[in-house]
Amino acid sequence: MEFDPKSLTYNEAGLMPAIAQDSESGEVLMMAWMNAEAVAKTLETKRVTYWSRSRQSFWIKGETSGHTQELVDFRYDCDQDCILVLIKQVGAACHTNRRTCFYTAVRDGQTVELMKPMDE
Amino acid sequence: MEFDPKSLTYNEAGLMPAIAQDSESGEVLMMAWMNAEAVAKTLETKRVTYWSRSRQSFWIKGETSGHTQELVDFRYDCDQDCILVLIKQVGAACHTNRRTCFYTAVRDGQTVELMKPMDE
């Protein structure tokens, strides 16, 4: 069936969570938001493009940092309200220069930092 | 540092996206929502507990279906506004009886069903 980005179920702000997963290691790298146009741009360009809620503009991941995300596979869930992009990540996905944004764990009631920022 | 579920950044409805990932295969299984109390329950009981927005009640995953999620590791992201739970999933995570909710891909502009429901 032909895919129409507008057919997905966006929230009241026209956005949907998009999970980015490393296509090789399986590591979950980050979660950000897409609107229908960001979905279309991501599929067209194969460069993962989010919608920045703080800047209210498209956010082509890595455009300034060089830490780009190349689309390998685009998936969405049963409720059509969450996206999963499998990607090739260059460098760090996180703005703290860590590979993944999910570097904090809670173990035995304590927060644990799982990794340090990458060397530049 | 001691972890306080209330210290995370919830949205205006008091909720945050929680991504469930198979702790062994790395497969991303589903995304649902947690409030601070669901986070506390998940950590206390090791049974992954979401907040059902449609039912407006706690949703102990698998309580009716038997498809439980045992918590292996609890993580959150740099902005403290998204949760990643690594879990042991019994059976299907998806209500359609598929292992993962992300069973639809978009390839060359067409939707592709990646897997069928599991046998009961």
Side-chain angles (χ1 to χ4, degrees):
Chain A
M1 206 170 67
E2 198 167 341
F3 174 70
D4 178 359
K6 293 190 211 71
S7 69
L8 299 178
T9 305
Y10 300 87
N11 70 11
E12 62 287 343
L15 300 172
M16 145 161 15
I19 303 160
Q21 182 180 28
D22 189 301
S23 65
E24 286 173 9
S25 70
E27 192 174 18
V28 174
L29 299 176
M30 58 178 283
M31 191 284 288
W33 298 81
M34 289 187 188
N35 57 18
E37 214 176 328
V39 169
K41 284 177 187 287
T42 296
L43 288 166
E44 277 163 29
T45 64
K46 308 286 181 196
R47 288 280 298 274
V48 178
T49 302
Y50 302 101
W51 178 258
S52 168
R53 296 178 301 169
S54 56
R55 294 195 301 272
Q56 288 287 303
S57 62
F58 291 108
W59 167 27
I60 302 172
K61 176 71 182 165
E63 202 176 27
T64 53
S65 67
H67 296 163
T68 53
Q69 296 184 337
E70 183 193 334
L71 184 69
V72 175
D73 206 19
F74 183 99
R75 300 180 189 170
Y76 58 83
D77 74 350
C78 52
D79 292 332
Q80 313 197 347
D81 63 2
C82 186
I83 290 162
L84 175 67
V85 284
L86 279 74
I87 60 163
K88 282 190 190 164
Q89 172 72 53
V90 173
C94 184
H95 74 289
T96 67
N97 211 38
R98 290 171 174 89
R99 180 74 182 167
T100 171
C101 294
F102 295 94
Y103 58 84
T104 308
V106 179
R107 294 176 182 169
D108 300 323
Q110 304 290 314
T111 59
V112 180
E113 187 183 304
L114 301 177
M115 69 193 73
K116 296 286 177 193
M118 298 167 84
D119 293 329
E120 288 290 355
Chain B
M1 206 170 67
E2 197 167 341
F3 174 70
D4 178 0
K6 292 190 212 71
S7 69
L8 299 177
T9 304
Y10 300 88
N11 70 11
E12 61 289 342
L15 300 172
M16 154 162 4
I19 303 159
Q21 182 179 29
D22 189 301
S23 65
E24 286 171 10
S25 69
E27 192 174 19
V28 174
L29 300 175
M30 59 179 282
M31 191 284 289
W33 298 81
M34 290 189 187
N35 57 18
E37 214 175 328
V39 169
K41 285 176 187 287
T42 296
L43 288 167
E44 277 163 30
T45 63
K46 309 285 181 198
R47 289 281 299 274
V48 178
T49 302
Y50 302 100
W51 179 258
S52 167
R53 296 179 301 171
S54 55
R55 295 195 302 270
Q56 288 287 303
S57 62
F58 292 108
W59 167 27
I60 303 171
K61 176 70 183 168
E63 202 176 29
T64 53
S65 66
H67 295 165
T68 53
Q69 297 183 336
E70 182 193 334
L71 183 69
V72 175
D73 206 19
F74 184 99
R75 300 180 190 170
Y76 57 84
D77 75 350
C78 52
D79 292 331
Q80 313 198 346
D81 63 3
C82 186
I83 290 162
L84 175 67
V85 284
L86 279 72
I87 60 163
K88 282 189 190 164
Q89 171 73 52
V90 173
C94 185
H95 74 287
T96 66
N97 211 38
R98 291 171 174 89
R99 179 73 182 168
T100 171
C101 294
F102 296 94
Y103 57 84
T104 309
V106 179
R107 295 176 183 170
D108 299 324
Q110 303 290 314
T111 59
V112 179
E113 187 182 305
L114 302 178
M115 70 192 72
K116 296 285 179 194
M118 298 166 81
D119 292 330
E120 290 288 356

